Amino acid sequence: MAINLSRQFASLVGLSAPKLALASAGSESLARSVVGSAVRRLGSSIEQPRGNPSGELRGEAPKEIRPQQEEEEPREEGGGEEDDEEEDGQVNKETGEIGGPRGPEPTRYGDWERNGRCYDF
Amino acid sequence: MSSNEKTAMTTVLPAGSGTLHYSVKIYKGQHFRRNSWVSVTAFKRCTQKDLSCAMSSSICRSHGVSKSLKTQRYSFSHFPFYESWKPSRTAVNSCLEDGSTKFFDFVVIGSGVAGLRYALEVAKHGTVAVITKAEPHESNTNYAQGGVSAVLCPSDSVESHMRDTIVAGAYLCDEETVRVVCTEGPDRIRELIAMGASFDHGEDGNLHLAREGGHSHHRIVHAADMTGREIERALLEAVVNDPNISMFQHHFAIDLLTSQGGSETVCHGVDTLNTESLEVVRFISKVTLLASGGAGHIYPTTTNPPVATGDGIAMAHRAEAVISNMEFVQFHPTALADEGLPIKPEKSRENAFLVTEAVRGDGGILYNLAKERFMPLYDEREELAPRDVVARSIDDQLKKWNEKYVLLNISHKPKEQILAHFPNIAAECLKYGLDITSQPIPVVPAAHYMCGGVRAGLQGETNVSGLYVAGEVACTGLHGANRLASNSLLEALVFARRAVQPSIDHMSQSGFYVGPSSRWARPVMPSSLPSSAMDDILNVTEQMRKDLQSIMWEYVGIVRSTRRLESAEKKIHELETQWEKFLFQQGWEPTMVALEACEMRNLFCCAKLVVSSALARHESRGLHYTIDFPHVEESMRLPTIILPCSTVSTTWSSRQLHKQPV
């Protein structure tokens, strides 16, 4: 169980410091000394976006997707559209997806969005 | 209420102090299960010595402890009430009936993805009853419309998925669990496809993978935007066509049937209420899988369908299963707030309409009702701060100004753009007299997912012999302090599958319980009550539910404090006492059942579990944020464990129906 502990910390540190080579999990003292530095790093990484570190995603996705989509939309999404906009066999030019939802990429802001309603996240 | 009585309700401990008894028993090698929990002390009363002993012996290895829970085969042979059983497929009896008692090898409670996936596998080895409280498709699964995450792309890796999961979970995840789920996920998806679920593909013929928030690779498999529904459809079709599976819809599960067998609690089945025929049906089984989903309805605004009243968590707690991490409730920051609509909907919405982050992404601004833009006060990223920060900020504003909702304004954008991007929101709001191209949208956070639940080992096993759990009702250690997007369907699939072999092994070594039926008092219908009394009970119960939800939102919301949590504890206790007193004054008897009353007792139970857990966590991590301990504490990076209470509980909601005092 002490082995479990150091294994957990060892791999934890492995995640935040991939270059750090750790001996086998049996080395408890190594894990403990490594934990010291890991704690500081964890502290700072945790203060960053929690749970949904999609800040970067949000920043990049719209730039990729929007320019093309905005051209398409006025044509495809004229008045009176229904909830489901997919068409079987329709290929999304941007992603190559067949039969997917038309319009902007549903995950462009991190959640799963269709026509403004968030369906999942 | 004296503190003695208070702590008699449940025993909540951060794993370090509480598992002293648990782990000592484990490592003595004599018991793999606990028997009666004698004098388990509440955290507040733990002595320093206890704590330091606990720390050194277990270092809160509640993870390690539960993983080492081997499925100890319980030998029934020396008990007079069990038939010996020779494992043989052909000898499997299909449902023996004895009046309103049915016998099945496997009973599954819940018909979401976890329950159905499991049912389809174990049906190859025995008879299966799937019990579901409404229509089979009414489950959180059906509403999970985004996707399911798995490593299905050559440039992706299990390590990457693991890392994303653990980061999202604020490092509270159990690493072994995360590894197992991320590793086995791809195979589970492939099986679903083989079963007939159809997911979107790309032109290259491969599955189309989307990338949701928190994931560093494209790995979300989906079926247009109704993935959950598609998976549910495919599984239901297979279930309906399976001759070994019997579906019992509109059967509400009341309590698990358990006994103390030597050193452990054993599960023998479940009592149910057929809500159509208004009859009690008892199911005796060799193995029980609890897959009953979440408890969103402890809060007033939730994305969960009405069935999500925490029935499974409550039943398991009453059956002495260990519960974990209930403080981690996931909210979505911006659900449409009906209270803010010019025309109020006639009946309250069944599940919340979530306004997508894309509205903020496209330039939407959040205001409180005094028209102040508040996000800059909380985060320099303002409206584009991560969802959890936004949720917390909104909650803080609501509590500060004592308001019911805030406003999300996109009306400064061009009308055509708003209508093109957000037609769903526009249409929905217009129905109730709101034009989002010229007015702000009223929004409020909605409860969405319970990261905590019944503590499960790597095979979905619990500390109750013969009881397995999978899906949202389980706390497997995958989500930690916060769930990563699209990991919930994945968890359900993986654990449902993993529980199969241990279940089969357990079943083949067990006999049916065939002892005296008086062993467990049978639930009864309230037919002796005059209809006026029943009406009153229903009305009062409906009001009580709203009152409980208000307390939870007001005092156990997104931004918490010790003072508020303690208030919640007190208020909930008072409300529960008041409700039960009213019931019994009307002539209600402890073994009576009605759907609304049973749901209410489950809601009380879950609410108390959430409050206790929140009080026990003296740090902020992931979804649990408290102003009294606003930072992450490394020493607290442990699951919260709730042990069954040792002393006699005093409320109707805390005791199994068949264990009520006469």
Side-chain angles (χ1 to χ4, degrees):
Chain A
M1 179 250 319
I3 290 172
N4 283 349
L5 167 67
S6 56
R7 184 168 62 80
Q8 190 191 38
F9 276 116
S11 46
L12 191 71
V13 170
L15 289 174
S16 57
K19 292 205 178 92
L20 192 65
L22 285 172
S24 74
S27 172
E28 208 182 302
S29 56
L30 172 64
R32 263 201 227 110
S33 60
V34 162
V35 161
S37 53
V39 168
R40 281 192 290 279
R41 297 189 57 158
L42 284 174
S44 59
S45 66
I46 278 167
E47 269 144 35
Q48 270 152 32
R50 213 178 299 194
N52 178 22
S54 65
E56 324 91 279
L57 174 64
R58 250 203 290 281
E60 50 175 80
K63 283 189 228 128
E64 293 169 16
I65 307 256
R66 259 212 251 148
Q68 283 113 315
Q69 295 292 358
E70 268 178 21
E71 288 168 25
E72 289 181 30
E73 274 167 29
R75 271 180 274 132
E76 292 182 0
E77 297 187 33
E81 64 262 351
E82 308 143 350
D83 265 8
D84 299 43
E85 290 182 344
E86 357 33 284
E87 231 177 78
D88 284 314
Q90 174 99 350
V91 180
N92 183 317
K93 292 180 185 56
E94 166 75 16
T95 61
E97 185 181 358
I98 301 173
R102 284 149 62 176
E105 167 58 34
T107 59
R108 67 192 184 287
Y109 284 109
D111 61 1
W112 197 282
E113 172 269 346
R114 289 295 296 137
N115 297 325
R117 184 167 190 175
C118 163
Y119 284 103
D120 205 8
F121 61 97
Chain B
M1 185 200 199
S2 79
S3 70
N4 273 349
E5 285 168 44
K6 254 208 298 206
T7 55
M9 295 309 206
T10 55
T11 312
V12 184
L13 305 110
S17 50
T19 50
L20 170 64
H21 303 279
Y22 206 53
S23 57
V24 162
K25 282 200 155 56
I26 294 287
Y27 292 104
K28 274 181 179 165
Q30 287 158 5
H31 310 278
F32 283 96
R33 298 280 188 282
R34 298 201 80 258
N35 52 359
S36 60
W37 296 83
V38 175
S39 66
V40 182
T41 54
F43 181 52
K44 291 180 196 135
R45 296 188 299 156
C46 255
T47 61
Q48 266 312 109
K49 181 166 173 293
D50 286 345
L51 278 172
S52 53
C53 270
M55 287 305 214
S56 60
S57 68
S58 68
I59 311 278
C60 324
R61 284 312 297 157
S62 51
H63 308 299
V65 158
S66 64
K67 297 305 173 272
S68 70
L69 281 179
K70 297 180 182 50
T71 43
Q72 169 96 338
R73 226 72 88 227
Y74 191 71
S75 164
F76 288 109
S77 55
H78 57 281
F79 264 70
F81 300 134
Y82 295 91
E83 301 170 352
S84 61
W85 187 257
K86 293 196 177 67
S88 155
R89 261 207 79 184
T90 53
V92 166
N93 257 318
S94 64
C95 36
L96 295 169
E97 272 197 50
D98 163 25
S100 45
T101 301
K102 299 188 196 294
F103 294 78
F104 284 86
D105 296 313
F106 305 93
V107 158
V108 175
I109 302 173
S111 58
V113 61
L116 297 184
R117 183 71 191 82
Y118 173 91
L120 286 166
E121 284 302 321
V122 296
K124 301 170 190 166
H125 298 267
T127 54
V128 186
V130 174
I131 291 165
T132 186
K133 77 193 253 195
E135 301 282 312
H137 60 268
E138 267 307 299
S139 63
N140 274 2
T141 297
N142 213 39
Y143 293 84
Q145 303 198 27
V148 99
S149 55
V151 174
L152 288 160
C153 176
S155 64
D156 195 1
S157 68
V158 167
E159 283 69 34
S160 169
H161 191 182
M162 284 181 62
R163 192 177 315 127
D164 292 341
T165 300
I166 291 173
V167 166
Y171 300 89
L172 198 66
C173 311
D174 180 86
E175 196 206 323
E176 226 180 310
T177 305
V178 176
R179 184 186 313 281
V180 156
V181 172
C182 295
T183 306
E184 298 182 3
D187 279 342
R188 301 289 84 80
I189 306 283
R190 290 182 195 111
E191 279 163 11
L192 273 184
I193 294 171
M195 274 183 213
S198 69
F199 298 114
D200 285 5
H201 283 74
E203 276 181 302
D204 56 359
N206 290 326
L207 287 168
H208 178 259
L209 303 172
R211 183 175 159 188
E212 236 178 322
H215 289 274
S216 46
H217 276 84
H218 284 254
R219 62 171 75 101
I220 313 296
V221 168
H222 63 109
D225 58 342
M226 21 171 272
T227 309
R229 210 187 308 169
E230 171 57 17
I231 295 176
E232 183 75 12
R233 180 206 63 76
L235 292 174
L236 263 179
E237 202 178 306
V239 160
V240 157
N241 290 328
D242 191 314
N244 250 359
I245 303 179
S246 309
M247 174 78 73
F248 293 89
Q249 58 189 42
H250 298 292
H251 279 63
F252 173 85
I254 301 164
D255 263 313
L256 296 169
L257 299 169
T258 54
S259 65
Q260 287 302 122
S263 59
E264 58 182 359
T265 308
V266 184
C267 181
H268 303 283
V270 61
D271 275 340
T272 70
L273 168 63
N274 181 331
T275 54
E276 286 186 320
S277 67
L278 295 182
E279 284 171 328
V280 169
V281 182
R282 174 163 284 182
F283 288 83
I284 302 289
S285 62
K286 299 172 190 171
V287 177
T288 306
L289 179 86
L290 196 53
S292 49
H297 283 269
I298 58 176
Y299 288 98
T301 311
T302 175
T303 57
N304 292 182
V307 294
T309 50
D311 305 327
I313 299 170
M315 285 196 296
H317 178 61
R318 290 192 289 264
E320 313 224 317
V322 175
I323 310 292
S324 183
N325 285 352
M326 287 293 285
E327 66 271 42
F328 300 111
V329 181
Q330 190 172 52
F331 285 82
H332 188 279
T334 51
L336 188 60
D338 289 339
E339 302 97 329
L341 294 169
I343 305 168
K344 303 284 177 291
E346 267 168 23
K347 54 174 189 147
S348 50
R349 210 176 279 280
E350 283 199 341
N351 47 57
F353 184 113
L354 296 183
V355 174
T356 176
E357 296 188 50
V359 172
R360 283 175 280 124
D362 270 14
I365 310 281
L366 284 164
Y367 297 95
N368 59 30
L369 292 188
K371 303 289 197 302
E372 295 165 330
R373 183 180 180 182
F374 56 84
M375 279 313 300
L377 301 172
Y378 295 96
D379 196 290
E380 61 197 6
R381 291 163 292 194
E382 300 175 338
E383 275 74 8
L384 295 184
R387 183 173 43 241
D388 297 339
V389 175
V390 174
R392 236 171 272 152
S393 310
I394 294 177
D395 191 50
D396 193 55
Q397 285 287 304
L398 292 175
K399 301 300 188 283
K400 194 165 170 180
W401 303 115
N402 199 18
E403 300 286 4
K404 297 250 183 304
Y405 55 89
V406 294
L407 300 168
L408 178 58
N409 189 30
I410 189 87
S411 65
H412 51 284
K413 290 287 168 184
K415 181 169 176 170
E416 310 75 48
Q417 189 188 324
I418 299 174
L419 293 177
H421 282 178
F422 311 121
N424 245 354
I425 309 180
E428 185 67 19
C429 288
L430 207 56
K431 261 201 267 181
Y432 301 102
L434 188 90
D435 178 2
I436 68 170
T437 64
S438 61
Q439 298 164 277
I441 310 166
V443 292
V444 69
H448 181 73
Y449 186 84
M450 312 271 334
C451 296
V454 184
R455 189 159 175 80
L458 282 176
Q459 320 275 47
E461 77 272 23
T462 66
N463 59 304
V464 175
S465 174
L467 181 68
Y468 297 82
V469 287
E472 193 176 348
V473 71
C475 181
T476 62
L478 177 72
H479 305 309
N482 194 349
R483 179 187 65 92
L484 178 63
S486 297
N487 264 7
S488 52
L489 285 174
L490 179 66
E491 182 195 37
L493 285 170
V494 169
F495 273 83
R497 188 66 188 77
R498 288 180 71 86
V500 167
Q501 194 55 50
S503 298
I504 293 167
D505 293 343
H506 187 101
M507 185 221 54
S508 55
Q509 303 235 347
S510 310
F512 281 124
Y513 176 86
V514 290
S517 57
S518 57
R519 179 175 196 145
W520 300 291
R522 256 190 123 81
V524 296
M525 299 305 299
S527 33
S528 58
L529 294 184
S531 63
S532 59
M534 257 331 274
D535 285 342
D536 287 344
I537 286 174
L538 292 179
N539 288 331
V540 166
T541 302
E542 198 184 327
Q543 185 55 45
M544 287 287 165
R545 183 190 284 218
K546 294 192 180 117
D547 292 345
L548 176 66
Q549 290 167 343
S550 291
I551 296 171
M552 287 303 288
W553 178 234
E554 186 64 33
Y555 296 93
V556 198
I558 304 172
V559 176
R560 298 164 174 171
S561 73
T562 306
R563 192 177 54 85
R564 285 192 114 107
L565 291 172
E566 285 172 346
S567 289
E569 203 169 41
K570 185 163 167 284
K571 284 176 189 288
I572 293 171
H573 171 74
E574 281 165 3
L575 195 71
E576 190 185 9
T577 306
Q578 197 188 335
W579 178 64
E580 293 189 2
K581 189 167 163 206
F582 180 79
L583 276 189
F584 294 117
Q585 265 170 3
Q586 301 299 308
W588 190 267
E589 301 194 0
T591 51
M592 280 182 179
V593 289
L595 176 64
E596 298 80 359
C598 291
E599 282 183 336
M600 191 70 237
R601 75 196 267 261
N602 292 340
L603 290 169
F604 271 121
C605 187
C606 288
K608 289 186 291 184
L609 291 170
V610 172
V611 177
S612 303
S613 305
L615 276 168
R617 184 164 292 275
H618 292 184
E619 63 156 0
S620 289
R621 184 183 295 270
L623 295 165
H624 173 71
Y625 182 85
T626 169
I627 60 180
D628 293 289
F629 306 98
H631 305 293
V632 169
E633 291 290 332
E634 179 54 27
S635 62
M636 299 258 154
R637 195 167 54 82
L638 310 155
T640 304
I641 302 285
I642 300 186
L643 307 170
C645 22
S646 55
T647 53
V648 171
S649 308
T650 53
T651 69
W652 188 56
S653 82
S654 322
R655 265 212 217 96
Q656 289 167 309
L657 226 69
H658 47 80
K659 282 215 180 100
Q660 300 290 334
V662 175

